[in-house]
């Protein structure tokens, strides 16, 4: 009896955190800061801030198809490999969808790479594995997911920035953190713009 109570208390004290990073949604924050995120530092910050007993990190991104840019895309795939092999992230990626459009200037191409469904599916699939969900996004479309997770007993925190957060999402979670105002250093190398 004492042993089973001990394990019940231990389980209660665990704070298993699943982190869902919507990479494209955080691009505005990185541009505002002029630096890329350092994901290793960011995860360490989360572990310390939330006293995590365990963390699992998912990274979602859509990338340009080969031949659609004037520059080499090889570094992008090396970065995905670093996240996966070096940091142990679960990387969810897909090629940007290219859609022909016609506007007042004529024919053009629009690229779309929304990962909202993939994030939602993972958050629901692993629902019984975590106590706390952290979403790196500012997209108001996630309010339904946040509400559902909270009704299911999860704590949910949003990490975004003032230039990219919807009011509904900012106020709908258990807490909101502006990544541009975090006191510890979660930033990496300088952002360089192509000519």
């Amino acid at each position: 009896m004492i042993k089973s109570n001990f394990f019940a208390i231990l389980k209660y004290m665990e704070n298993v955190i699943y982190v869902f990073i919507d990479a494209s949604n955080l691009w505005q924050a990185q541009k505002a800061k002029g630096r890329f995120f350092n994901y290793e530092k960011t995860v360490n910050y989360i572990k310390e801030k939330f006293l995590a007993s365990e963390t699992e990190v998912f990274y979602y991104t859509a990338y340009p198809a080969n031949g659609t840019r004037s520059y080499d895309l090889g570094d992008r795939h090396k970065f995905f490999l670093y996240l996966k092999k070096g940091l142990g992230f679960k990387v969810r990626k897909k090629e940007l969808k290219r859609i022909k459009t016609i506007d007042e200037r004529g024919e053009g191409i629009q690229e779309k790479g929304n990962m909202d469904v993939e994030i939602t599916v993972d958050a629901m699939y692993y629902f019984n594995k975590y106590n706390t969900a952290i979403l790196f996004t500012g997209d108001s479309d996630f309010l339904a997911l946040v509400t559902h997770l909270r009704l299911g007993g999860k704590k949910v925190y949003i990490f975004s920035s003032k230039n990219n957060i919807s009011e509904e999402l900012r106020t709908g979670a258990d807490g909101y953190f502006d990544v541009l105002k975090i006191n510890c250093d979660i930033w990496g190398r300088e952002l360089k713009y192509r000519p």
Side-chain angles (χ1 to χ4, degrees), residues 1-190:
M1 183 70 169
I2 294 171
K3 190 175 182 181
S4 64
N5 284 344
F6 171 76
F7 286 113
I9 291 167
L10 187 64
K11 181 70 177 163
Y12 179 77
M13 290 172 51
E14 285 181 358
N15 189 19
V16 179
I17 296 178
Y18 272 42
V19 181
F20 304 94
I21 300 172
D22 184 357
S24 63
N25 204 273
L26 292 177
W27 182 238
Q28 295 302 322
Q30 292 177 97
K31 286 198 298 188
K33 187 72 173 179
R35 302 187 83 77
F36 289 104
F37 279 108
N38 179 312
Y39 287 104
E40 185 174 14
K41 289 180 182 178
T42 302
V43 172
N44 287 336
Y45 169 79
I46 288 168
K47 286 177 180 177
E48 290 175 22
K49 177 80 178 170
F50 294 94
L51 304 174
S53 57
E54 183 185 331
T55 57
E56 190 74 52
V57 183
F58 294 78
Y59 181 89
Y60 304 86
T61 189
Y63 60 90
N66 284 332
T68 61
R69 301 295 189 271
S70 60
Y71 49 88
D72 181 31
L73 297 169
D75 285 346
R76 173 66 56 181
H77 296 291
K78 287 178 191 170
F79 176 65
F80 297 154
L81 191 61
Y82 163 72
L83 292 176
K84 187 176 178 178
K85 300 285 187 185
L87 298 181
F89 286 19
K90 288 186 174 15
V91 177
R92 309 285 197 238
K93 59 185 177 164
K94 67 182 177 185
E95 202 170 271
L96 284 165
K97 188 178 219 176
R98 295 173 60 80
I99 303 164
K100 285 187 181 181
T101 59
I102 298 174
D103 60 16
E104 61 276 356
R105 289 181 249 146
E107 198 173 279
I109 297 285
Q110 182 182 14
E111 292 182 319
K112 295 190 87 157
N114 192 312
M115 299 292 285
D116 294 5
V117 171
E118 289 84 349
I119 294 170
T120 301
V121 167
D122 279 338
M124 295 308 301
Y125 182 81
Y126 293 102
F127 185 85
N128 292 323
K129 302 248 183 203
Y130 60 89
N131 313 90
T132 302
I134 293 178
L135 281 79
F136 276 76
T137 188
D139 191 335
S140 63
D141 289 346
F142 285 110
L143 181 60
L145 174 62
V146 167
T147 302
H148 182 77
L149 293 177
R150 292 184 73 207
L151 288 172
K154 308 297 181 193
K155 291 287 188 187
V156 183
Y157 297 93
I158 303 298
F159 281 67
S160 190
S161 62
K162 65 180 180 182
N163 56 351
N164 204 34
I165 183 73
S166 67
E167 184 63 19
E168 304 94 328
L169 196 59
R170 189 182 69 76
T171 58
D174 290 290
Y176 163 70
F177 295 85
D178 187 329
V179 294
L180 298 174
K181 293 182 178 176
I182 290 175
N183 290 331
C184 100
D185 182 21
I186 59 170
W187 299 96
R189 63 187 169 87
E190 190 178 333

